[in-house]
Amino acid sequence: MPVDPLHSAARPPRSAPSPLQSAPEARAVEVRRSARRRRTVSAYREGDRTIVLIPARMSDAEEQRWVTVMLDKLAAQESKRMLGDAELAERARRLSEQYLDGRARPDSVRWVTNQNTRWGSCTPAEGSIRLSHRLQGMPEYVVDYVLLHELAHLLVPGHGPEFWRLLESYPRTERARGYLEGVVSADRLPHLPGARSE
């Protein structure tokens, strides 16, 4: 039986991140110094990395401060594009139709900020699904996997063979599980080179 990274592996971070900080921390950060850059600092996403452009003369302390500021700024911009609860519920409906023959019908699907040790949770008796805000900003296939995982719990409460059979039809299950396990492992590292310090 597979280990379930959704319900057992995630430890709370050393300091509780804001919803906007969680996604950028999972990415590698590359700082590029430029002698031509005098005062301006900018940042952008490049695949799974965040590039922060700073003046060459900045001290290490200023660099760390600006990396933090720019990660927060990018996260704030991205959060405006995040799925709201209504869109999340619609996404759950589509996933249920596509992978579970429409049998999983939650009464509510919403983001929550009080789940720091789980990616998602489900209360079958109430038909409710809750996803951790820490998923916001992660790739769509990861969010879809977590949603599908919780939808499957509406049909099968435990993590036995029948439960895992329900997830076999989702083609990115292993990739999504690997991504989540990587995020959990990164949270446990004392320091990530190039990433912002806690």
Side-chain angles (χ1 to χ4, degrees):
M1 177 188 316
V3 175
D4 182 11
L6 293 183
H7 294 222
S8 61
R11 287 185 183 169
R14 286 178 292 281
S15 64
S18 75
L20 301 180
Q21 293 170 331
S22 298
E25 288 178 351
R27 301 174 190 246
V29 177
E30 180 182 330
V31 176
R32 295 181 185 168
R33 291 177 175 263
S34 169
R36 286 190 270 170
R37 193 174 279 270
R38 296 284 178 232
R39 288 185 295 229
T40 60
V41 176
S42 62
Y44 61 93
R45 304 287 192 208
E46 187 176 87
D48 287 339
R49 295 181 306 154
T50 301
I51 310 299
V52 180
L53 306 170
I54 64 171
R57 62 174 175 69
M58 262 190 194
S59 69
D60 288 345
E62 288 176 308
E63 174 184 318
Q64 283 302 312
R65 184 177 73 80
W66 276 105
V67 165
T68 299
V69 166
M70 297 313 289
L71 286 175
D72 287 344
K73 185 179 273 194
L74 281 175
Q77 291 168 356
E78 290 168 350
S79 73
K80 293 175 184 171
R81 298 189 298 264
M82 297 295 175
L83 293 175
D85 289 349
E87 292 89 356
L88 199 59
E90 174 59 22
R91 195 170 187 164
R93 186 196 63 73
R94 285 196 314 267
L95 288 167
S96 177
E97 289 292 329
Q98 186 172 358
Y99 297 105
L100 302 172
D101 299 321
R103 293 181 296 139
R105 296 186 182 120
D107 292 324
S108 70
V109 182
R110 61 192 174 94
W111 295 108
V112 293
T113 58
N114 62 351
Q115 285 191 159
N116 289 318
T117 60
R118 294 178 172 213
W119 297 114
S121 62
C122 171
T123 307
E126 298 173 3
S128 63
I129 291 175
R130 295 159 304 280
L131 295 191
S132 172
H133 69 276
R134 297 169 63 223
L135 289 164
Q136 293 177 332
M138 289 189 187
E140 285 185 10
Y141 73 90
V142 175
V143 176
D144 284 351
Y145 167 71
V146 177
L147 257 179
L148 194 57
H149 183 108
E150 300 309 331
L151 286 165
H153 277 308
L154 292 176
L155 305 174
V156 179
H159 289 106
E162 184 184 353
F163 173 83
W164 293 109
R165 271 194 296 277
L166 290 174
L167 295 179
E168 285 175 358
S169 62
Y170 184 61
R172 301 180 102 177
T173 291
E174 289 308 312
R175 185 174 179 191
R177 287 167 53 86
Y179 185 99
L180 293 171
E181 288 168 2
V183 170
V184 169
S185 294
D187 281 347
R188 292 178 179 161
L189 292 175
H191 174 70
L192 289 175
R196 79 189 221 191
S197 58
E198 301 279 341

